[in-house]
Amino acid sequence: MDSRTIGILGGGQLGRMIVEAASRLNIKTVILDAPNSPAKQINALCEHVDGSFANPKDIEKIAEKCDVLTVEIEHVDVPTLKRLRETHPKLQIYPSPETIELIQDKFTQKEHLIKNNIAVATSVAIQSPSEETLAQVGAKFGYPYMLKARTLAYDGRGNFVVKSAESIPEALKTLGGKPLYAEKWAPFTKELAVMIVRSIDGKVFSYPTVETIHQDNICHVCYAPARVPDSIQLKAKLLAENAIKSFPGCGIFGVEMFYLENGELLINEIAPRPHNSGHYTIDACVTSQFEAHVRAVLDLPLPRNFCSFSTSNTNAIMLNILGDKKEKDGELKTCMRALRTPGSSVYLYGKESRPQRKMGHINIIDSCMSECERKLRYIVGEDAEPIV
Ligand code: ATP
Ligand code: MG
Ligand code: MG
């Protein structure tokens, strides 16, 4: 479909699903990550680079092997990407290094959004973390408030809920040593998310608004469409589109939001890459988030409705499969129940099972949401009766 090679910084499950989408279009991909990482397992090439997306030398190596360089994770070494633009003028880098730089520091990301009139939770940088400064934040924001690592955060690792002044010493013990900022508590009724595709010529396209439910800070399930009024779905879509218009470069972006008790929407954070809340698109939409990313970074067509639901009555639930807490590979029982369930698809990422690790996901599709919910109850073991 295209003779150019895509280099991917990061070989986790998101990289693996980009590789799958690219392979269907006969587009070559090379990966930079540890040997046998999930994306490499399904891409039998000897040209992959073993190493780290945070290491300048390794990034330089993969740059030699591709025409377009992209990321499946934002924690990459940005100065090297900027330097590559000078040393490898023909190499295209999407999303742009400036966008990755703005987003990878969650506080800088917030400042950028505020500058662009996008609603976000009120936050403050913590210059020198101490019991005193954290107590000052408590006096200003009230309790609970959220203390967050500015960089290298994922799955809530990097977040600490400061419940009261008494929990400040523990917060410092947990997150001390990292660059920090504090965020006012967002009294949300639901969390919403929208995947946005930005084309090389700067147009933005949005997937349906979805609802995510987190457990222990990790995405547990995602309902598509979100179970909120149409007006809120539209408001979320416009907020996400406006936010992404403010970032240079192209590709797919995940936009996480809080839907507050008072009806207001605030952006929580943005990911400059495919996102967990977009996995449902593989089975529910005309074009998956992964293929949309490949198309966007190669400037391939993005025709009308490519990011719509496949049919006018498609409903979907995505369930994350986390490593079982009690028994190694115990999560495969859930996958087996999903394989028995009509309209359900299982995706495993090829990782070694560890408690609470993201091992795979299941997409459940039906023409009505209550049927998706019934299937979900069977798959998670709440209902004993299999779906026929
Ligand atoms: P991800 O894996 O999505 O990158 P992360 O480690 O960057 O996660 P956040 O998205 O900042 O973490 O927060 C994780 C979850 O914690 C949110 O989805 C939400 O449920 C909760 N949370 C975060 N910030 C706030 C807040 N200000 N008020 C209330 N809850 C919050
Ligand atoms: Mg995050
Ligand atoms: Mg998040």
Side-chain angles (χ1 to χ4, degrees):
M1 196 62 246
D2 197 291
S3 59
R4 288 173 294 171
T5 296
I6 301 179
I8 308 174
L9 300 182
Q13 65 265 23
L14 301 176
R16 179 170 167 122
M17 291 184 272
I18 295 173
V19 168
E20 281 184 320
S23 301
R24 277 200 299 113
L25 296 174
N26 198 30
I27 291 164
K28 191 173 151 190
T29 46
V30 288
I31 314 294
L32 164 57
D33 210 332
N36 202 38
S37 57
K40 290 183 183 177
Q41 291 170 20
I42 61 159
N43 188 354
L45 275 183
C46 48
E47 292 150 77
H48 295 310
V49 179
D50 289 340
S52 164
F53 42 78
N55 182 327
K57 289 264 167 320
D58 297 336
I59 298 177
E60 280 158 20
K61 271 190 216 155
I62 196 173
E64 293 295 331
K65 297 168 188 268
C66 61
D67 306 286
V68 177
L69 190 57
T70 190
V71 302
E72 60 117 46
I73 185 164
E74 56 274 32
H75 309 308
V76 298
D77 189 62
V78 170
T80 306
L81 296 182
K82 287 186 175 170
R83 213 167 43 244
L84 284 176
R85 277 207 297 232
E86 311 301 320
T87 56
H88 295 66
K90 285 208 187 115
L91 178 70
Q92 285 163 311
I93 307 176
Y94 298 124
S96 84
E98 284 73 22
T99 292
I100 301 173
E101 185 174 39
L102 281 170
I103 288 179
Q104 68 180 188
D105 178 328
K106 288 163 90 173
F107 187 71
T108 313
Q109 184 192 132
K110 285 232 152 55
E111 287 184 312
H112 170 85
L113 291 170
I114 292 166
K115 224 186 278 165
N116 286 278
N117 294 318
I118 307 291
V120 294
T122 307
S123 51
V124 62
I126 310 279
Q127 304 299 357
S128 42
S130 67
E131 291 198 17
E132 202 187 337
T133 47
L134 294 194
Q136 279 165 5
V137 173
K140 194 167 151 210
F141 285 174
Y143 295 97
Y145 71 85
M146 194 63 113
L147 189 63
K148 293 191 178 184
R150 290 174 65 143
T151 53
L152 302 175
Y154 72 100
D155 288 346
R157 290 171 220 207
N159 285 0
F160 190 96
V161 181
V162 186
K163 292 198 181 99
S164 64
E166 284 73 58
S167 45
I168 288 175
E170 201 192 333
L172 281 170
K173 211 167 107 197
T174 313
L175 294 182
K178 296 185 171 151
L180 298 177
Y181 77 104
E183 215 171 272
K184 207 168 172 177
W185 192 255
F188 60 83
T189 54
K190 284 181 191 283
E191 289 188 79
L192 305 180
V194 182
M195 296 307 305
I196 301 280
V197 185
R198 192 176 152 113
S199 62
I200 280 180
D201 59 358
K203 291 200 192 81
V204 292
F205 305 88
S206 44
Y207 278 94
T209 300
V210 302
E211 174 185 345
T212 54
I213 297 178
H214 290 72
Q215 276 180 1
D216 301 327
N217 277 295
I218 305 176
C219 178
H220 169 52
V221 285
C222 172
Y223 290 81
R227 299 166 304 172
V228 296
D230 288 356
S231 60
I232 299 301
Q233 289 187 23
L234 181 63
K235 205 169 146 183
K237 162 192 154 84
L238 295 175
L239 179 61
E241 287 179 357
N242 282 336
I244 298 309
K245 279 181 195 160
S246 74
F247 290 100
C250 69
I252 190 116
F253 293 82
V255 183
E256 301 176 11
M257 289 172 232
F258 298 127
Y259 174 34
L260 304 188
E261 284 154 359
N262 65 6
E264 212 184 323
L265 287 174
L266 299 178
I267 290 198
N268 170 24
E269 62 165 346
I270 291 173
R273 52 165 169 80
H275 191 261
N276 203 167
S277 70
H279 291 356
Y280 78 95
T281 61
I282 302 173
D283 294 291
C285 294
V286 177
T287 306
S288 79
Q289 62 163 342
F290 303 100
E291 183 176 333
H293 184 63
V294 169
R295 289 184 185 221
V297 300
L298 290 180
D299 200 16
L300 292 172
L302 297 166
R304 182 167 54 85
N305 289 347
F306 79 91
C307 49
S308 307
F309 281 122
S310 310
T311 71
S312 57
N313 59 1
T314 299
N315 284 266
I317 295 180
M318 189 274 327
L319 169 72
N320 263 346
I321 303 297
L322 302 186
D324 196 275
K325 284 182 188 160
K326 293 192 202 114
E327 182 195 348
K328 191 161 191 271
D329 295 326
E331 66 278 2
L332 294 178
K333 289 182 194 136
T334 308
C335 297
M336 189 52 83
R337 286 191 293 269
L339 289 180
R340 277 191 218 116
T341 305
S344 304
S345 313
V346 177
Y347 298 81
L348 288 171
Y349 305 150
K351 297 183 187 170
E352 196 188 328
S353 178
R354 271 193 246 129
Q356 292 294 87
R357 190 177 196 199
K358 282 181 183 164
M359 300 300 298
H361 72 269
I362 292 166
N363 281 343
I364 306 167
I365 309 290
D366 206 289
S367 55
C368 77
M369 190 55 95
S370 59
E371 274 304 293
C372 289
E373 285 167 332
R374 196 162 74 94
K375 292 176 181 178
L376 176 68
R377 285 196 298 275
Y378 170 69
I379 291 170
V380 299
E382 278 172 25
D383 280 357
E385 201 58 39
I387 315 287
V388 284

